[in-house]
Amino acid sequence: MDNAHYPFNLFPADVILPALTLSTTMQSITPITQLPSDKVAAFSEALYNVLQRTHTQETLAHIIDGPSRSPDTSPTADSLSLSAAFVAAFQPSSLSFDTIVLQDFAAAAANTADYDLCLLNLLAQAIHNLAATLWREFHPDVTPPQEFTNEVYTAWERYPAGHAALVGYWAETRVFGGVVAFDHTPDGGVTAAWLDTGSEVWQLSAVQVRERGRMPFEKRAWAEVRKDRRGTEIWRGWWEREGRDEDEEGDEGEGCGHSHGEEGGVHAGLVEVARRMVEKEREEPKQNGDVPK
């Protein structure tokens, strides 16, 4: 890949990053940049590919527009410009994740099912966190209306991000085709990725998890389908488990589809950077003597 045309600042190959600090703290958050440089590069490229998709930027633009405009209509031109500027200004170093989730990705060997599942988990959390952050920045203290929520994931009082998490799940549904969850074994291992669309839950194929070529994901004819997640071990964070109490959060195993504590976020200062980029673009025609359109 040509780094000269890549918007993220990746660490050079000869830079040795500090080893990931392991922690048993349930709410331990670690910056993505604490991973080895090859893992940071892989995550950055994968996230960039998701963010550059038209429907992803439209989803972020809808969040910027907020309650004043229905997400069933096209987002405004201003919000689309701000969404594009936000993506251009965004860097993976602004994201932090559950320490154990990063530990699992760091330990996973490339070109394995564990690696692919861990990477998809990080991508889903990144989109979720970006969406929640944008909502908080542009609509502080505003409870998301129903059209910005997923009909299944409504228990905001259980979610680490509170009301903003409702928008995170909605954004996942728009970008991936459903909320990304993982099937867990009794000992905490992760065997497969699933999409919870609200009306049903279906399993992603290994090829879909690895290549992520077409999003939102499309259900294959041979995909295993369930009516819902009840009676299963399909979940991502402990707060998403059916019938779980918050005081039970510490008894699960580990795995790349598992999150122990609060989800990380993006530095809100990026929103201000994006605003300035848009303002600069609007001022440039005037400086060049052109007539703004």
Side-chain angles (χ1 to χ4, degrees):
M1 182 177 56
D2 184 0
N3 284 338
H5 296 90
Y6 195 57
F8 296 149
N9 295 327
L10 302 182
F11 289 95
D14 58 347
V15 173
I16 300 176
L17 295 180
L20 187 65
T21 301
L22 305 185
S23 173
T24 58
T25 304
M26 290 301 164
Q27 296 183 355
S28 176
I29 300 298
T30 300
I32 187 72
T33 50
Q34 293 297 300
L35 287 174
S37 58
D38 62 325
K39 296 293 177 69
V40 177
F43 167 76
S44 299
E45 181 178 5
L47 182 56
Y48 175 60
N49 289 336
V50 175
L51 290 174
Q52 285 298 300
R53 296 171 188 261
T54 299
H55 74 280
T56 301
Q57 295 199 23
E58 288 179 346
T59 298
L60 299 180
H62 279 303
I63 295 171
I64 293 171
D65 278 335
S68 63
R69 190 175 183 87
S70 170
D72 294 329
T73 63
S74 298
T76 63
D78 284 346
S79 67
L80 282 171
S81 295
L82 194 51
S83 173
F86 181 84
V87 170
F90 177 75
Q91 296 183 22
S93 58
S94 67
L95 284 176
S96 297
F97 295 94
D98 183 282
T99 298
I100 294 180
V101 172
L102 290 185
Q103 172 193 344
D104 293 329
F105 186 45
N111 301 316
T112 64
D114 285 345
Y115 182 96
D116 298 334
L117 289 168
C118 288
L119 184 54
L120 178 61
N121 183 20
L122 290 174
L123 293 175
Q125 290 194 35
I127 294 300
H128 182 109
N129 295 337
L130 285 170
T133 298
L134 284 177
W135 184 270
R136 281 192 295 248
E137 285 298 304
F138 285 93
H139 316 290
D141 303 320
V142 176
T143 300
Q146 185 175 358
E147 56 264 36
F148 282 95
T149 64
N150 178 300
E151 62 185 43
V152 174
Y153 295 81
T154 59
W156 62 267
E157 67 280 358
R158 290 172 57 87
Y159 304 148
H163 283 104
L166 302 178
V167 181
Y169 290 119
W170 172 83
E172 284 187 57
T173 303
R174 300 274 295 214
V175 173
F176 298 104
V179 173
V180 180
F182 299 89
D183 201 357
H184 292 72
T185 61
D187 61 357
V190 174
T191 60
W194 293 68
L195 278 189
D196 189 347
T197 66
S199 59
E200 62 182 7
V201 185
W202 54 272
Q203 185 178 341
L204 290 167
S205 71
V207 173
Q208 287 176 310
V209 174
R210 180 174 63 253
E211 298 182 353
R212 304 176 302 278
R214 179 174 293 182
M215 290 185 185
F217 290 116
E218 296 181 353
K219 184 175 70 174
R220 305 298 176 91
W222 57 86
E224 182 178 350
V225 180
R226 297 176 181 270
K227 181 179 179 181
D228 53 42
R229 295 185 299 114
R230 286 181 292 184
T232 74
E233 287 297 322
I234 300 173
W235 44 275
R236 189 169 74 228
W238 64 264
W239 50 87
E240 297 162 353
R241 297 188 66 180
E242 188 71 27
R244 295 288 290 185
D245 294 324
E246 291 188 17
D247 58 3
E248 295 184 275
E249 65 182 275
D251 65 356
E252 294 114 3
E254 299 175 9
C256 62
H258 174 75
S259 183
H260 285 272
E262 294 191 6
E263 298 176 56
V266 58
H267 293 316
L270 280 176
V271 175
E272 182 60 28
V273 171
R275 287 194 177 106
R276 292 177 182 177
M277 290 174 66
V278 173
E279 291 173 359
K280 182 178 180 181
E281 289 179 357
R282 290 172 177 169
E283 292 173 356
E284 283 179 351
K286 299 178 181 179
Q287 295 173 354
N288 296 331
D290 299 329
V291 178
K293 295 181 180 180

